[in-house]
Amino acid sequence: RWDPIDLLVPEWRYLQRDPAGQFHEDTVSGLTLSPRSVSSRMPRGVSRVLAVDRLRKVNALVGFTRIDEMDRVNDLTSRLVPLTRNGRPAWVVGTEDRGEGIFLEFDESMVAAWEARVTGSALWTAHREAHARNFERRFSETAEVVDAESRMRPPRYWLLHTFAHVLLRTLAMSSGYGAASISERVYAWAGDGPDRPPAAGVLISTTASDSDGTLGGLVRLSQEDLLARSVRAALVAAGRCSSDPVCARRIPRDPEDFLHGAACHCCVMASETSCERANRFLDRRLLVS
């Protein structure tokens, strides 16, 4: 019962450590962090900020799947299409990208209390039912034994995922990077024992195979006053959409099975290169209402 979240837990644990000082570098990965103060003007909920001065991301193509995503079923080894006909390849195509970013951590007690209120709401029930319909209609026969509920992202993920989208759209206006070159990494799970502590945070970053990913635009915006201004502007922007009231009132109802609520390309959705979930699990009502 492998879960892709297992890959994020070590990253989350590392980001929980306070850097020893400015430009604190991990000698193995090259990850360089600097502490940042949280402005008194920052909206409630953001408890900690780190400037990610340098980071490295390595991508390697090892195969591909059809119909089902690799994180949605547990029989990956039997469904992964290999790159070669004769066993494992001797080498695979890979890239090493470098960049920068901003890490924001949220107050766990506030997120947990909010999540408890949302879980019993009619809106959340509608999203769960839509996810079940989507799951059943789009899975291959190899996924019949998988519980759809186990693949539904929790309310806090919807909250932080929507926040990450509106923030990266706002940061793109001032950072010098295009919105399509900024990406997210969402750490949002309720916790499952000591090996997986609860998490509530987002990493907004940009990476490139050359120096374009390390121009300093995002790190500059991590300064307390600039970041507070950006977060406030993002939340204000999330309160309205040029497609309202259609967008604001969108709730999936049977037989609909889309995996978003009040979200569209005019307000929340991002390019495919920016979103880790292909613009699923988004609803700005969970963020601003």
Side-chain angles (χ1 to χ4, degrees):
R1 299 189 58 80
W2 177 80
D3 191 329
I5 290 177
D6 294 339
L7 297 176
L8 299 178
V9 173
E11 297 180 13
W12 174 254
R13 288 184 179 276
Y14 186 85
L15 292 171
Q16 294 299 289
R17 308 173 189 172
D18 290 325
Q22 297 292 323
F23 304 105
H24 178 73
E25 181 179 2
D26 178 71
T27 56
V28 177
S29 66
L31 180 65
T32 304
L33 305 174
S34 296
R36 288 287 188 268
S37 300
V38 179
S39 172
S40 58
R41 299 180 57 195
M42 179 71 73
R44 294 175 61 245
V46 178
S47 61
R48 188 163 165 267
V49 176
L50 293 175
V52 183
D53 301 288
R54 287 189 295 273
L55 63 85
R56 182 182 62 169
K57 181 173 67 173
V58 178
N59 306 291
L61 177 63
V62 297
F64 61 92
T65 62
R66 296 187 185 277
I67 303 177
D68 299 326
E69 296 184 48
M70 64 173 295
D71 67 331
R72 297 178 71 178
V73 295
N74 295 332
D75 57 349
L76 177 63
T77 55
S78 63
R79 296 182 305 103
L80 186 68
V81 180
L83 299 180
T84 59
R85 295 181 178 179
N86 301 317
R88 296 173 61 89
W91 59 275
V92 297
V93 177
T95 63
E96 183 176 285
D97 300 338
R98 299 183 183 274
E100 58 170 321
I102 306 172
F103 172 73
L104 297 92
E105 183 179 340
F106 291 75
D107 184 271
E108 172 59 29
S109 61
M110 293 183 65
V111 173
W114 172 90
E115 194 169 34
R117 294 194 305 270
V118 170
T119 300
S121 66
L123 175 61
W124 183 246
T125 299
H127 283 315
R128 288 178 58 191
E129 293 173 350
H131 177 267
R133 293 191 292 269
N134 183 285
F135 191 93
E136 294 170 358
R137 295 169 182 173
R138 287 169 170 75
F139 266 36
S140 66
E141 294 180 356
T142 61
E144 290 181 351
V145 297
V146 179
D147 179 17
E149 190 66 24
S150 67
R151 299 304 184 184
M152 176 63 169
R153 296 298 94 189
R156 67 171 63 200
Y157 185 92
W158 289 64
L159 172 71
L160 299 185
H161 191 204
T162 306
F163 172 81
H165 275 229
V166 297
L167 181 59
L168 72 84
R169 289 166 68 105
T170 301
L171 294 176
M173 303 296 292
S174 306
S175 65
Y177 298 109
S181 64
I182 303 177
S183 61
E184 64 185 1
R185 201 165 183 85
V186 183
Y187 306 89
W189 55 86
D192 184 17
D195 294 334
R196 185 187 291 183
V202 297
L203 171 64
I204 307 297
S205 64
T206 182
T207 56
S209 56
D210 54 18
S211 61
D212 288 346
T214 56
L215 298 177
L218 278 181
V219 170
R220 175 181 176 274
L221 293 177
S222 68
Q223 298 176 15
E224 53 181 309
D225 291 334
L226 294 178
L227 184 59
R229 187 185 310 163
S230 297
V231 171
R232 287 186 173 275
L235 294 177
V236 170
R240 62 178 67 92
C241 173
S242 59
S243 296
D244 284 342
V246 175
C247 178
R249 297 176 180 176
R250 183 183 295 112
I251 299 177
R253 304 184 188 280
D254 193 14
E256 297 170 330
D257 61 1
F258 50 84
L259 301 181
H260 64 274
C264 69
H265 284 287
C266 297
C267 57
V268 173
M269 291 184 177
S271 63
E272 295 296 325
T273 56
S274 299
C275 181
E276 66 180 24
R277 289 286 176 175
N279 284 319
R280 295 174 296 164
F281 310 132
L282 296 166
D283 194 328
R284 54 194 173 93
R285 281 169 300 199
L286 299 175
L287 182 64
V288 299
S289 61

